[in-house]
Amino acid sequence: MINNNLEQVMNDPMLFKLYDIKNVTEDIIECIVKEQYGKGKILFITIEEGIFVEYSDCYFHYIDNADVKFNKDIITMYQMIEGNAIMNINDKKSIIVKKGDIFNFAGNNQFSSFDGDYKNLVSISIFGYYECIQRFFLGFFKDDTIVKDYYSHMKSIDGGLVYKNDLILEKLFLELFESVKDNNNYLIKLKALEIMYHGMTHHAKYVDVKRKEYDQYYIKRVYEVKNYLDENWNKKISLEEIAQLHNINKTYLKEIFKDSFDISPHKYVIKIRLSKSKELLDNRNLKITEIASMTGFSSASRYSESFKNFFGYLPSEYRKNSSSNREQ
């Protein structure tokens, strides 16, 4: 059975493109994210042939013009434990999946998941090829109607559904997460079956909970803006100029940026500047007025005010406490 699973994963163009894949144990396939796409790993824990519990602790950069898809239609249900991700739900539109969200998908799509803050995405999920899940339910329950109905319904709503507040499913995902950490294979398989059954029979209640969709073109522009800000945080440039530079409407830029990263572009730059200033404060030879100027603030008073609002104390207090800690 495991050889068939490994062969399916190795031969799937989507997975083979993104990961270096190897067998860890009889039941576990480890996929290391290729360096050009990000870092971290995903563990596929075998439930049945072609059906896995997927534990992800990784991140991906945006992959431009991804032209590969899974070689078979899939069903996946997961909960985001940490991080934000962008998921394509069709060839043009994307949705933002955030910490705590439950994401259901059925069908086939181009790879499109990446982390907004370049921190690790941590998620727990059920991943399986549709025909394998269908065959499993038919063998276990002697009936695959639930799988067929779920798959058909999900396809009719473009394949993707994001929602919160399914308390039973959230509890099951938490129990699955804990069982993976405890390496409890029996509980892993039990919880995986419960999640599949509950997800397929209760997802329809959340169809009307619409998550805003964004054009993939503008999603890409917003991530370009974020990268630009990461590299040019100390420059004086207006949001209007940045929007024009990246060919996106300023209002739309602010909306998608805030939805993607839970912070406005302006506050994001302030956050970077303040973090950089902390490093400079450790240099006792630099005056606070100099640090304010070096990090893009118009005055020392404006810098001190922003610093206190963000960290809860003044730069001078941070410097004093930092110096005292070093002396101890």
Side-chain angles (χ1 to χ4, degrees):
M1 181 179 73
I2 188 64
N3 291 333
N4 291 336
N5 275 311
L6 183 61
E7 184 178 354
Q8 285 190 73
V9 172
M10 286 290 291
N11 291 334
D12 196 309
M14 176 73 78
L15 299 171
F16 187 74
K17 175 174 181 174
L18 302 173
Y19 307 103
D20 291 319
I21 304 170
K22 67 176 182 178
N23 236 34
V24 177
T25 69
E26 184 179 340
D27 292 319
I28 298 176
I29 299 170
E30 183 179 67
C31 300
I32 306 296
V33 180
K34 292 182 178 179
E35 188 175 349
Q36 64 265 40
Y37 298 128
K39 73 173 185 178
K41 67 181 179 181
I42 294 178
L43 294 180
F44 287 95
I45 303 168
T46 306
I47 302 302
E48 186 70 20
E49 183 176 347
I51 308 172
F52 309 90
V53 166
E54 179 184 338
Y55 171 76
S56 303
D57 188 354
C58 59
Y59 78 75
F60 292 94
H61 305 298
Y62 187 85
I63 298 178
D64 195 16
N65 298 321
D67 57 357
V68 294
K69 297 186 177 185
F70 291 104
N71 63 3
K72 300 177 182 177
D73 282 357
I74 65 167
I75 287 175
T76 184
M77 305 173 189
Y78 75 79
Q79 183 167 39
M80 188 68 71
I81 307 298
E82 292 290 344
N84 290 357
I86 308 298
M87 296 298 296
N88 286 358
I89 55 172
N90 53 45
D91 290 338
K92 294 183 179 180
K93 296 292 184 180
S94 298
I95 51 179
I96 298 169
V97 184
K98 299 187 175 186
K99 179 179 178 178
D101 281 345
I102 293 169
F103 177 69
N104 281 16
F105 178 83
N108 207 328
N109 68 339
Q110 293 179 345
F111 177 80
S112 54
S113 171
F114 52 95
D115 176 47
D117 289 325
Y118 295 99
K119 298 175 184 175
N120 282 11
L121 289 173
V122 179
S123 65
I124 190 76
S125 67
I126 310 300
F127 169 92
Y129 297 103
Y130 169 59
E131 61 183 33
C132 295
I133 295 177
Q134 187 179 1
R135 187 165 58 245
F136 172 68
F137 268 68
L138 190 59
F140 193 87
F141 295 108
K142 308 304 181 187
D143 188 352
D144 62 353
T145 304
I146 290 173
V147 182
K148 288 180 178 178
D149 289 348
Y150 169 81
Y151 184 80
S152 176
H153 188 216
M154 290 296 294
K155 290 282 283 186
S156 73
I157 57 172
D158 279 334
L161 186 62
V162 183
Y163 54 94
K164 289 182 184 287
N165 300 323
D166 184 332
L167 299 182
I168 294 176
L169 199 53
E170 288 176 6
K171 181 175 181 291
L172 290 172
F173 272 121
L174 178 61
E175 291 171 345
L176 177 61
F177 184 71
E178 294 298 329
S179 64
V180 169
K181 291 199 297 183
D182 293 339
N183 198 27
N184 188 330
N185 289 330
Y186 294 106
L187 198 55
I188 288 172
K189 293 183 179 183
L190 175 62
K191 293 304 168 184
L193 181 58
E194 288 184 86
I195 287 170
M196 283 191 288
Y197 180 83
H198 183 87
M200 290 180 189
T201 55
H202 289 76
H203 74 284
K205 292 198 281 186
Y206 302 94
V207 169
D208 293 331
V209 182
K210 294 296 184 182
R211 186 61 58 90
K212 185 156 187 179
E213 300 175 4
Y214 296 108
D215 191 296
Q216 291 169 21
Y217 172 85
Y218 293 112
I219 289 282
K220 183 180 178 183
R221 299 285 85 75
V222 167
Y223 273 76
E224 288 176 353
V225 168
K226 180 182 178 294
N227 291 338
Y228 177 86
L229 295 177
D230 287 337
E231 296 173 2
N232 299 276
W233 55 270
N234 58 343
K235 293 183 179 179
K236 293 182 179 180
I237 183 170
S238 69
L239 189 60
E240 289 84 355
E241 292 172 304
I242 293 173
Q244 289 177 3
L245 184 64
H246 292 88
N247 197 28
I248 182 173
N249 176 273
K250 183 184 76 170
T251 302
Y252 204 38
L253 166 60
K254 290 168 64 177
E255 178 186 341
I256 302 178
F257 197 102
K258 178 69 181 296
D259 202 10
S260 298
F261 310 121
D262 298 319
I263 192 171
S264 69
H266 173 71
K267 288 184 178 179
Y268 182 71
V269 173
I270 297 299
K271 178 182 175 182
I272 297 176
R273 290 176 175 177
L274 291 171
S275 297
K276 296 289 185 182
S277 78
K278 260 191 170 182
E279 299 172 12
L280 296 174
L281 284 167
D282 290 332
N283 184 347
R284 304 285 294 182
N285 295 322
L286 291 173
K287 297 178 180 179
I288 288 180
T289 52
E290 293 176 306
I291 293 174
S293 178
M294 292 169 66
T295 51
F297 288 93
S298 58
S299 67
S301 60
R302 179 64 62 85
Y303 164 60
S304 294
E305 180 185 3
S306 298
F307 195 97
K308 185 170 184 179
N309 287 338
F310 191 81
F311 294 114
Y313 42 80
L314 293 168
S316 57
E317 294 172 329
Y318 170 79
R319 172 172 272 178
K320 181 179 178 181
N321 291 335
S322 179
S323 176
S324 298
N325 290 335
R326 284 197 299 270
E327 290 173 0
Q328 292 175 1

